[in-house]
Amino acid sequence: MELNQSNFSDVFETKTQAVSDKLADYKTRRDQLNVMVRGKLDKRNEINSQVKELITEVQKQKALRNEANGKVAELRKIRLEKTNELKMVRAKLRSTVEDKDRDSGKKKNGASSRKIREQMNKLEWRHQTGQIGPKKERDFFATMKRLQAEFKTLKKEEEASSSSVLKEVKQAEKRQQKAHDAVTDASEKSEEAHSLMMELSNEVDRLRGLANSEHLGLTSTKGDADHLHNRYIISLRCIHSMQDILKLSGTKKDQESERVDVTDLMSRLMEGQTLSDEDMMLLQRN
């Protein structure tokens, strides 16, 4: 269609309506995307806040683990000392028993509670297997009675001579066990702190992945929103240009009406009110 003075207004009014429809569509879609951008931004910031809190907890658990590991190292040294002490008193006990056995052997022709127990076991076995006949049972019982009396006497003497050493052994065993339990307890605390630290670290990695995903979505959505906004601005400028052309061909009354609109916009602006994109474009044109 050839553009001339007679169809000038019809053509531009039709185009203005078409561009206005596009303008409304761009604005609606842009605003929707901006809402999505805001939501993704809030979600990303929320996740990053959780990550920050978890990292603080990870550092706390790491400090607890390191402290527990240091305590474990110290307690292991103490346990080693107590273990060596226990070995020494046990060696002392064995030496005391051996000395007592030698002394008993000298006094009683080599007899000791251990050797007497061996004699009693041998006689008991011979009697149970029938090697001792009925005629010798009286001698068997008399011998067993004598050996039992000797065994009790020697055993009592041996225990009395080694009782102080035995007491030392028991005390050393308690100290060694206490040191071992302390090491075990500290090791468990260290392991608990380490396990929790690793669990929190894994959660930090997971949340960081989510935050990165939200950030990528935010960037993509914001790009789409900016693209629509640019198209919106271009469409708005097209409308204003066509309106300018129509104004030049219009009546003086139309021009005066637009000046009234501009005056109203200036008043609103001076009062601190927020103007739309269309209002700002109108002010720039005039």
Side-chain angles (χ1 to χ4, degrees), residues 182-273:
V183 170
T184 301
D185 182 62
S187 297
E188 290 177 352
K189 290 181 179 179
S190 173
E191 183 61 29
E192 289 176 1
H194 179 73
S195 297
L196 182 55
M197 184 189 74
M198 294 306 299
E199 182 179 344
L200 291 173
S201 296
N202 292 335
E203 182 63 11
V204 166
D205 292 339
R206 187 185 73 83
L207 289 177
R208 276 177 172 167
L210 291 177
N212 290 336
S213 178
E214 290 293 335
H215 181 73
L216 291 175
L218 183 153
T219 303
S220 176
T221 304
K222 188 176 185 304
D224 294 339
D226 290 344
H227 176 69
L228 287 174
H229 179 69
N230 291 334
R231 299 187 71 175
Y232 168 79
I233 295 299
I234 292 173
S235 299
L236 189 61
R237 287 173 178 171
C238 289
I239 289 177
H240 287 167
S241 296
M242 287 187 287
Q243 287 176 346
D244 287 341
I245 294 173
L246 290 173
K247 182 179 66 173
L248 293 175
S249 63
T251 64
K252 184 178 180 180
K253 182 178 180 181
D254 294 332
Q255 296 174 3
E256 290 177 351
S257 176
E258 185 165 308
R259 282 197 295 271
V260 172
D261 292 339
V262 171
T263 302
D264 181 61
L265 290 176
M266 287 299 297
S267 298
R268 289 166 56 192
L269 186 62
M270 294 299 293
E271 291 174 359
Q273 298 183 26

Side-chain angles (χ1 to χ4, degrees), residues 49-67:
S49 177
Q50 294 178 16
V51 168
K52 185 177 180 180
E53 292 177 0
L54 286 176
I55 289 176
T56 300
E57 187 63 24
V58 167
Q59 295 300 324
K60 177 182 176 181
Q61 293 302 320
K62 184 178 181 180
L64 291 174
R65 182 201 63 180
N66 293 341
E67 181 181 354

